[in-house]
Amino acid sequence: MASSVSLQQLSHRFFANTQLKDFKHGWSRRPRYSFNTDTKISIRPIRATTESPPFPLFQPPQAEESPSDLEPADPDFYKIGYVRSMRAYGVEFKEGPNGFGVYASKDVEPLRRARMIMEIPLELMLTISKKLPWMFFPDIIPVGHPIFDIINSTDPETDWDLRLACLLLFAFDREDNFWQLYGDFLPSVDECTSLLLATEEDLLELQDANLASTMREQQQRAMQFWEKNWHSGVPLKIRRLARDPERFIWAVSIAQSRCTNMQMRVGALVQDANMLVPYADMLNHSFQPNCFFHWRFKDRMFEVMINAGQRIRKGDEMTVNYMSPQKNDMFMQRYGFSSSTNPWDVIQFSGNARIHLDSFLSVFNISGLPEEYYHNSRLSNNSDTFVDGAVIAAARTLPTWSDGDVPPIPSMERKAVKELQDECQQMLGQFPTTSKQDQKTLDSLPQASRTLEAAIKYRLHRKLLIEKVIQALDIYQERILF
């Protein structure tokens, strides 16, 4: 590993290189994402792997943003962390139209061991234990402060985000606290894609009644909590934390979208904690990440590590997997983004038609067990770019049958394919708009709110997945049937 360099030293070098190579699109201010699509996350701790996947699951994405859209972070962004002993190695923070992202500032050759690119001390973080008794590291709440009574009134099983939001608001109000400075780099209300901040009109644009209903319940839950604890009779030192409900709901959305759940050890104490980790929360999401999180207990340090065996090129974006396996509706609930190539998304079929599983997998060169499907590129034509996360999702979600080496009967397979495609067409027909209309709407609303944009993309991605499955079934017929 290269010798450690402080952020104060790095900042001068970062600003000299504003051009990026092999750029991937991402929502750099969480909620944000890095998908291999025609466009660019409780988070469980991601464990180090002993080796990288043998074959890439997705094809390289096409960039939506050009490198010129990105600018180096403001110098103060580095200084506040340097003062508090935050360190980064071989990475730089850049800000584009959608917020911050973390990018490699040099080439990294694959090694057999994971390597560290960022370390954040416990003193900079906001953490609260998942279970009673509530424990905070660092413990910034004075004895007897009424904010602890508010936190203590929450449901231990469900209200982790409300507790973390209270802690965040308190940190903003505490004199000389690090988060007073770091808060300037968090997305504002207008920049957040969280559906907690969505209007009723935005929720209707989802074209998903279940998801809209869930978000209304979440909004009402946050509103009721604010009304209960921020009424006119509370002390000024509480009321000033969130004078209006919008600020509190914003804090909840930040807590949900930027929280990391990890088991941490402080001395002899081991506990599961909800954590807000500055700088590390700037990493975007990818279903094929090149980094993971690690807790270094000997000096209470949160580390961002590059996967063992991972090759990184200068300008590549550093990403983690927010949560897996989860469908798009769960990503929308928590982070406010979705993907048409989410390999874990699901299409609900209700008919009796089924296709032969092994034949479908062989046509698209998909290998592995169902929970670990990947595209075996060594068996594929290098020019074949059709297989992506949507095809992997189809392999998991299409009704299939398998009976050892019994070959499928072509006429029966052709009939099953036709029935499945007809059912997909019926699903598409139930939407009030088509995918082309959705894309046209997005193109015609360049100044749309972030929540409206996220809602339209969500319904678009649902349709694109179904259309991809129809195309995959067409190819299946052409290649396996005669």
Side-chain angles (χ1 to χ4, degrees):
M1 180 180 295
S3 59
S4 302
V5 183
S6 72
L7 281 176
Q8 189 178 50
Q9 295 167 319
L10 284 173
S11 60
H12 300 291
R13 187 181 64 191
F14 290 167
F15 302 146
N17 179 18
T18 59
Q19 298 300 316
L20 293 177
K21 300 179 181 178
D22 302 324
F23 173 74
K24 297 181 181 178
H25 171 67
W27 286 10
S28 304
R29 291 188 189 271
R30 279 194 184 172
R32 57 195 190 277
Y33 58 93
S34 162
F35 298 117
N36 294 303
T37 68
D38 293 335
T39 64
K40 166 167 165 148
I41 56 31
S42 56
I43 301 179
R44 300 180 302 180
I46 305 174
R47 306 299 182 189
T49 56
T50 57
E51 59 181 11
S52 61
F55 307 107
L57 177 60
F58 307 115
Q59 298 297 328
Q62 298 178 358
E64 274 196 349
E65 296 174 3
S66 63
S68 60
D69 292 330
L70 297 171
E71 296 180 359
D74 186 278
D76 289 342
F77 182 73
Y78 298 94
K79 292 178 181 178
I80 59 177
Y82 174 76
V83 171
R84 301 288 184 137
S85 301
M86 180 269 179
R87 295 291 185 269
Y89 310 89
V91 297
E92 54 189 341
F93 298 86
K94 286 184 175 291
E95 186 175 15
N98 294 309
F100 281 97
V102 184
Y103 299 88
S105 61
K106 63 181 180 179
D107 292 343
V108 178
E109 295 301 318
L111 292 181
R112 297 180 63 182
R113 297 180 58 185
R115 72 193 72 188
M116 179 177 61
I117 59 170
M118 202 182 301
E119 55 182 0
I120 301 97
L122 179 66
E123 290 73 21
L124 295 187
M125 298 186 280
L126 294 177
T127 73
I128 181 172
S129 57
K130 289 186 178 181
K131 298 180 180 180
L132 288 167
W134 308 127
M135 304 187 71
F136 312 90
F137 294 97
D139 190 359
I140 61 175
I141 300 181
V143 176
H145 196 284
I147 194 64
F148 181 80
D149 294 331
I150 295 177
I151 292 175
N152 203 39
S153 69
T154 59
D155 187 330
E157 300 298 325
T158 61
D159 293 344
W160 65 270
D161 52 344
L162 302 181
R163 291 188 290 273
L164 202 55
C166 291
L167 189 61
L168 178 63
L169 290 171
F170 177 77
F172 288 153
D173 188 65
R174 186 174 173 84
E175 186 176 357
D176 297 328
N177 186 272
F178 167 81
W179 284 83
Q180 283 189 330
L181 303 174
Y182 191 74
D184 292 339
F185 300 94
L186 296 177
S188 66
V189 171
D190 294 335
E191 295 169 324
C192 279
T193 60
S194 172
L195 294 183
L196 285 174
L197 298 166
T199 64
E200 179 62 25
E201 291 74 17
D202 295 342
L203 296 179
L204 293 177
E205 294 293 342
L206 291 167
Q207 297 181 3
D208 185 334
N210 292 333
L211 177 57
S213 177
T214 298
M215 294 315 304
R216 291 188 192 100
E217 292 173 359
Q218 291 293 319
Q219 290 174 338
Q220 184 178 16
R221 165 176 165 265
M223 178 65 75
Q224 290 176 344
F225 187 82
W226 179 84
E227 291 174 345
K228 175 184 176 182
N229 296 287
W230 270 268
H231 53 79
S232 58
V234 299
L236 177 61
K237 58 182 176 180
I238 291 294
R239 195 183 324 143
R240 70 189 181 200
L241 301 183
R243 294 183 180 274
D244 55 78
E246 185 180 60
R247 178 166 175 78
F248 179 74
I249 294 176
W250 169 83
V252 176
S253 71
I254 293 295
Q256 287 188 1
S257 61
R258 305 178 83 89
C259 174
T260 299
N261 299 324
M262 182 176 285
Q263 186 176 82
M264 57 186 293
R265 175 178 167 185
V266 180
L269 179 65
V270 178
Q271 68 171 354
D272 293 319
N274 301 124
M275 312 162 70
L276 290 178
V277 186
Y279 298 100
D281 63 3
M282 296 293 179
L283 276 82
N284 289 332
H285 168 81
S286 173
F287 288 114
Q288 196 180 17
N290 51 26
C291 296
F292 66 94
F293 296 144
H294 176 259
W295 177 256
R296 194 170 78 208
F297 72 89
K298 64 179 180 180
D299 53 357
R300 300 179 295 181
M301 197 75 69
F302 185 97
E303 297 178 321
V304 180
M305 311 284 288
I306 297 177
N307 292 332
Q310 186 81 50
R311 183 186 299 275
I312 307 293
R313 296 300 185 191
K314 182 178 179 179
D316 285 352
E317 183 164 16
M318 316 307 291
T319 58
V320 293
N321 193 334
Y322 289 176
M323 58 179 181
S324 180
Q326 292 293 344
K327 299 187 299 181
N328 274 343
D329 58 351
M330 292 303 299
F331 278 96
M332 284 296 292
Q333 286 183 39
R334 179 75 178 271
Y335 302 103
F337 68 75
S338 60
S339 168
S340 62
T341 58
N342 181 348
W344 299 102
D345 215 11
V346 173
I347 298 176
Q348 297 292 344
F349 290 92
S350 58
N352 298 320
R354 296 185 299 165
I355 59 173
H356 190 242
L357 175 61
D358 294 338
S359 298
F360 186 85
L361 297 179
S362 65
V363 163
F364 297 105
N365 298 309
I366 297 174
S367 304
L369 298 174
E371 296 301 310
E372 300 174 352
Y373 279 156
Y374 64 91
H375 180 217
N376 194 334
S377 59
R378 287 203 296 191
L379 301 177
S380 304
N381 188 326
N382 291 334
S383 62
D384 183 3
T385 60
F386 180 78
V387 179
D388 58 12
V391 179
I392 301 297
R396 291 193 176 103
T397 194
L398 279 170
T400 59
W401 65 277
S402 182
D403 191 10
D405 296 327
V406 177
I409 300 175
S411 61
M412 297 297 293
E413 286 294 291
R414 191 174 290 109
K415 179 181 178 183
V417 166
K418 181 64 167 59
E419 291 181 10
L420 291 173
Q421 288 180 321
D422 288 343
E423 189 168 357
C424 286
Q425 293 291 356
Q426 292 174 8
M427 295 178 191
L428 291 174
Q430 293 175 357
F431 290 102
T433 59
T434 66
S435 60
K436 292 182 179 180
Q437 290 173 332
D438 292 341
Q439 187 60 60
K440 185 176 180 179
T441 300
L442 282 173
D443 295 339
S444 64
L445 297 174
Q447 303 301 321
S449 67
R450 298 301 301 277
T451 50
L452 175 59
E453 180 184 5
I456 297 176
K457 283 185 176 180
Y458 171 72
R459 78 192 196 204
L460 170 62
H461 292 158
R462 292 177 67 196
K463 296 162 193 172
L464 291 178
L465 174 61
I466 298 174
E467 292 173 357
K468 187 83 170 189
V469 171
I470 294 175
Q471 293 175 325
L473 289 171
D474 276 334
I475 295 175
Y476 173 62
Q477 286 190 94
E478 295 172 0
R479 294 184 181 178
I480 201 67
L481 302 179
F482 49 86

